[in-house]
Amino acid sequence: MGLRLKFNLILALCFIIGLIASSAVFYQVSKENALEQLHAQIGVLRAQALAVRRYTSEEVRPLLSDMSDVQFLPQTVPSFSAQTAFSNFRDHFPDFYYKEAVLNPTNPSDLASDWEKELIDQLRDNTSLKEVVKVRDGKDGPQYTVAFPLQIKAESCLSCHSTPDRAPASMVALYGDKNGFGWQLDEIVGAQIFSVPLKVAEEQTWQNLKLLIGSMSAIFLVLLILINVLLRWMVVSPVIKMAHIAEQVSMGDSSQPEYEHPGSDEIASLSQSFNRMRRSLDNAMKMLES
Ligand code: HEC
């Protein structure tokens, strides 16, 4: 096996091992980054939902509270406005999901589904949790999901959510007296649940990985060509020439010219030593002949 082939094989092996190791580390790091980005996106969505909630209770409800005595207006309920605003937002981003899922909701459409109940139970079992994260299977692939506890912190909430006789008559007329009552102060009644599709993050991660592998391979290829050219020019060619001369001389052909490799590297000093040895050999031969 030639010197260059050995070099190339060793370099290729080192490159493949290095590429596999660095791709694995890169994949892990970029996946974590992508998940952090999704988490930050959900933070923005939640802040938006809380802002709509606050706008409704501070700006809308005071203006319409008198009308609610005659006819209950869901538009004055923060939960209703936040979820309605989000469903409008979904016209632009249909993959995003938001629900104020509750175990015993006023509006049946807010009833927690099975997977939502699991998240709510986790939050109820451990009330110190600020959020629960889960990757769940959606109909269009995995969804990165975060649930935040919905806790009853104000006594004012209980005026509509404790017993039907405390709630406005117009509200009971609209929603009935069966659901959305019996909530306790400090109780976690449900969760604000947000989901964003994981596929965007995964696609981004693969895209970055392909870019890394492509660029590293291109750099390796250029280096390999460069090393091969240099190796041939600086080592392999001079050694072949010297080997050829040595072979001719060993067979008695003293007409071969001396080979002088320019420079001061190891090959140059080898060529000088080789020439010196050849001259000594020639002298010895001449002395033997005379
Ligand atoms: C004026 C009565 C009223 C008050 C006060 C009130 N709510 Fe509600 N709440 C409702 C109604 C009505 C709905 C159902 C809205 C709909 O149709 O989506 C609702 C819905 C909700 C929901 C969504 C789940 C469900 O029951 O459908 C949550 C969560 C909620 N309220 C929490 C609160 C909290 C927390 C407070 C106190 C800060 C509060 N509510 C105060 C009337 C009220």
Side-chain angles (χ1 to χ4, degrees), residues 5-17:
L5 185 60
K6 275 186 197 160
F7 247 82
N8 287 341
L9 285 179
I10 292 169
L11 283 178
L13 194 70
C14 291
F15 172 72
I16 290 170
I17 293 172

Side-chain angles (χ1 to χ4, degrees), residues 53 61 72 74 76-80 83 100-102 104-110 150-154 156-161 168 171 175 180 183 189:
R53 275 182 141 271
R61 185 184 291 165
F72 190 82
T76 59
V77 177
S79 161
F80 177 87
Q83 294 190 85
E100 297 199 3
V102 168
N104 171 24
T106 321
N107 186 335
S109 70
D110 297 329
L150 270 172
Q151 191 171 23
I152 303 304
K153 291 194 184 131
S156 64
C157 311
L158 299 182
S159 63
C160 292
H161 291 297
M171 173 186 147
Y175 290 93
W183 298 6
V189 294

Side-chain angles (χ1 to χ4, degrees), residues 19-272:
L19 190 69
I20 292 173
S22 55
S23 299
V25 172
F26 180 86
Y27 179 77
Q28 200 54 34
V29 171
S30 31
K31 202 171 165 189
E32 275 163 24
N33 276 349
L35 289 184
E36 271 170 29
Q37 266 180 27
L38 289 187
H39 205 88
Q41 258 180 15
I42 285 182
V44 173
L45 292 179
R46 183 175 185 232
Q48 189 66 31
L50 292 177
V52 176
R53 275 182 141 271
R54 194 168 144 199
Y55 174 80
T56 311
S57 56
E58 289 180 4
E59 311 281 336
V60 180
R61 185 184 291 165
L63 291 176
L64 297 178
S65 56
D66 291 347
M67 281 176 76
S68 281
D69 292 342
V70 188
Q71 185 201 357
F72 190 82
L73 298 171
Q75 288 79 2
T76 59
V77 177
S79 161
F80 177 87
S81 54
Q83 294 190 85
T84 309
F86 196 87
S87 91
N88 294 344
F89 167 85
R90 286 187 70 186
D91 289 349
H92 305 278
F93 295 95
D95 292 337
F96 288 61
Y97 176 86
Y98 171 51
K99 181 167 163 189
E100 297 199 3
V102 168
L103 298 175
N104 171 24
T106 321
N107 186 335
S109 70
D110 297 329
L111 182 66
S113 62
D114 287 345
W115 68 267
E116 288 167 338
K117 272 193 192 120
E118 275 174 30
L119 295 177
I120 295 170
D121 284 343
Q122 285 183 41
L123 292 167
R124 281 166 71 96
D125 290 347
N126 185 353
T127 46
S128 61
L129 284 179
K130 296 259 179 297
E131 61 183 45
V132 178
V133 178
K134 180 188 164 88
V135 175
R136 66 182 178 88
D137 286 329
K139 62 177 190 315
D140 296 321
Q143 298 274 326
Y144 184 77
T145 304
V146 186
F148 301 91
L150 270 172
Q151 191 171 23
I152 303 304
K153 291 194 184 131
E155 172 66 33
S156 64
C157 311
L158 299 182
S159 63
C160 292
H161 291 297
S162 59
T163 52
D165 49 298
R166 274 186 73 185
S170 59
M171 173 186 147
V172 178
L174 188 62
Y175 290 93
D177 57 2
K178 299 280 182 291
N179 309 317
F181 298 109
W183 298 6
Q184 309 287 329
L185 201 61
D186 288 332
E187 185 189 354
I188 292 173
V189 294
Q192 277 184 297
I193 298 179
F194 295 86
S195 287
V196 291
L198 206 60
K199 77 169 182 275
V200 185
E202 277 175 350
E203 275 166 15
Q204 189 66 44
T205 305
W206 280 115
Q207 203 72 24
N208 290 348
L209 191 65
K210 274 193 255 170
L211 202 68
L212 176 88
I213 293 176
S215 51
M216 276 180 73
S217 305
I219 293 173
F220 174 71
L221 215 65
V222 172
L223 274 179
L224 201 67
I225 293 171
L226 203 68
I227 286 174
N228 271 279
V229 170
L230 288 177
L231 209 59
R232 180 169 182 83
W233 178 50
M234 296 170 91
V235 181
V236 177
S237 286
V239 169
I240 289 176
K241 273 184 201 147
M242 281 188 275
H244 176 74
I245 297 170
E247 196 175 322
Q248 296 298 314
V249 173
S250 72
M251 292 195 299
D253 178 5
S254 55
S255 66
Q256 288 293 321
E258 283 196 352
Y259 174 70
E260 189 90 36
H261 189 72
S264 57
D265 59 14
E266 289 80 352
I267 298 291
S269 100
L270 176 67
S271 74
Q272 285 156 15

